[in-house]
Amino acid sequence: MRVSTFWELMAHEFGAGYCRVLAQDLVLSEVGERTATEALDAGVDPKTVWFAVCRAQEVPESRWWGPDQPPRG
């Protein structure tokens, strides 16, 4: 996943404004006790960060791949 896709998914799920706040404030244990922004800046795979955000925010798995996309295995 590209970083741009990460931000598209974040904006779709949480809104264009709030997604940036969430990425800067929510500390994710799955990526080394970093925020999403810190993890991306450190080179963590955007897909790993996205899934960590989804789990932390209890986003249903059916929405992890974005709008109108079937869940992947």
Side-chain angles (χ1 to χ4, degrees), residues 15 22-24 39 45 53 61:
L22 186 66
Q24 291 177 345
D45 178 47
V53 170
E61 284 188 48

Side-chain angles (χ1 to χ4, degrees), residues 44-67:
V44 177
D45 178 47
K47 183 167 55 171
T48 300
V49 179
W50 169 243
F51 289 153
V53 170
C54 288
R55 283 188 278 276
Q57 293 299 110
E58 299 181 357
V59 174
E61 284 188 48
S62 62
R63 296 200 314 250
W64 286 12
W65 291 100

Side-chain angles (χ1 to χ4, degrees), residues 1 8-10 12 15 17 23-25 29 39-42 45 48 56 62 64 73:
M1 173 185 294
E8 289 170 10
L9 291 169
M10 286 286 287
H12 180 265
Q24 291 177 345
D25 291 346
S29 60
L40 292 171
D41 289 346
D45 178 47
T48 300
S62 62
W64 286 12

Side-chain angles (χ1 to χ4, degrees), residues 3-19:
V3 173
S4 61
T5 302
F6 169 84
W7 287 114
E8 289 170 10
L9 291 169
M10 286 286 287
H12 180 265
E13 186 62 39
F14 302 109
Y18 181 63
C19 77

